[in-house]
Amino acid sequence: RRAMALLRVRHCRILLYCRRAPPRCPACGGDLRRAGLASAPVRLRSPFRHGHGQPRAFLIRPSHGTFLDGYDGHSDLHVGITNSQGVVYNYDQEGVHRAAGGWEQCISIPLVQPDMWELLQHWDNLLEEFSLEEAWLPHRYEEQQHNCFTFALAFVNRVRQARGREPLSKAQFTESFLLPRTREASRYLTLHQQLAHRDVYIVPLAEQEQDS
């Protein structure tokens, strides 16, 4: 399901979030259509991507459903790694899956820079060979200690080590790569949920922002 755009309007001492900008400011009653460029609606960029269009990336999605349709912020998440064609390699109690569908709404973290020519060429073979290793057989799966995140991070570290870089711990990878994206997604989801039941959502501007 494609969600309507989220808009932000800055006026008087508030930030106004909405799907469609109202003609008047709900806080002061001012005419927003004549408020000038400073109060023009700004479209917020969705943090979610069509995972199968994100080559060579680390993807996150809810284990069930989608972020914008029922995710409560606490349910289990599932992760995977895409090949160059957007096929998602992911691991669970049934072993490694190669999914060409089902990852249409994800948080995506690109793993390869455009100048990494050699890695671009060999990525698919590396991922396929890695996925065939004994570590990822179904019976090795363990929900807490040997799961989809273990699989994805182990591949990231295999690639890092091949390039002479130190492996990342789960905590390091989470802090550096996941948290910035998940915080952004959380803020967006909060706005999306607020606007499911109302036309506008008002956030007072911090005092130091009012003068800027």
Side-chain angles (χ1 to χ4, degrees):
R1 187 175 69 172
R2 188 176 178 83
M4 289 174 62
L6 287 178
L7 304 176
R8 182 183 66 220
V9 179
R10 178 172 174 153
H11 194 258
C12 54
R13 297 185 176 186
I14 64 161
L15 289 177
L16 170 69
Y17 294 93
C18 52
R19 301 289 188 188
R20 292 188 182 88
R24 293 194 171 275
C25 174
C28 71
D31 189 343
L32 290 178
R33 292 166 297 189
R34 299 185 181 184
L37 197 57
S39 293
V42 176
R43 182 179 178 138
L44 300 183
R45 185 170 181 256
S46 171
F48 306 116
R49 300 284 172 270
H50 193 300
H52 301 292
Q54 304 288 313
R56 307 178 191 89
F58 184 106
L59 300 183
I60 309 168
R61 67 164 173 80
S63 295
H64 304 286
T66 66
F67 280 115
L68 291 174
D69 194 11
Y71 180 65
D72 62 6
H74 305 289
S75 303
D76 288 343
L77 296 171
H78 194 44
V79 304
I81 303 277
T82 52
N83 69 6
S84 66
Q85 303 302 308
V87 174
V88 186
Y89 283 64
N90 61 103
Y91 177 61
D92 64 14
Q93 59 268 38
E94 297 174 0
V96 176
H97 302 269
R98 296 157 184 81
W103 295 72
E104 287 79 16
Q105 194 184 101
C106 303
I107 296 170
S108 174
I109 299 158
L111 295 174
V112 183
Q113 302 301 319
D115 61 349
M116 298 177 178
W117 299 111
E118 189 171 352
L119 190 52
L120 289 170
Q121 299 301 317
H122 296 293
W123 184 267
D124 287 2
N125 287 337
L126 291 171
L127 184 55
E128 178 63 26
E129 289 170 11
F130 177 81
S131 72
L132 296 174
E133 294 177 5
E134 280 189 36
W136 316 118
L137 291 172
H139 71 275
R140 298 290 300 276
Y141 181 85
E142 201 283 312
E143 188 174 352
Q144 299 300 322
Q145 300 297 326
H146 196 77
N147 52 30
C148 60
F149 194 99
T150 315
F151 170 82
L153 181 58
F155 181 70
V156 169
N157 280 329
R158 178 73 59 84
V159 171
R160 285 178 65 86
Q161 287 176 298
R163 293 174 56 79
R165 306 182 73 177
E166 289 291 313
L168 295 168
S169 68
K170 184 175 181 178
Q172 287 171 323
F173 185 80
T174 299
E175 180 70 30
S176 298
F177 296 98
L178 299 191
L179 283 182
R181 306 289 180 122
T182 55
R183 285 184 185 127
E184 177 192 10
S186 179
R187 287 192 294 268
Y188 190 90
L189 278 175
T190 297
L191 295 171
H192 176 78
Q193 288 157 2
Q194 290 289 343
L195 291 171
H197 308 292
R198 62 183 85 178
D199 291 332
V200 296
Y201 176 55
I202 297 171
V203 179
L205 273 173
E207 286 186 23
Q208 64 270 25
E209 288 186 70
Q210 292 176 13
D211 301 323
S212 61

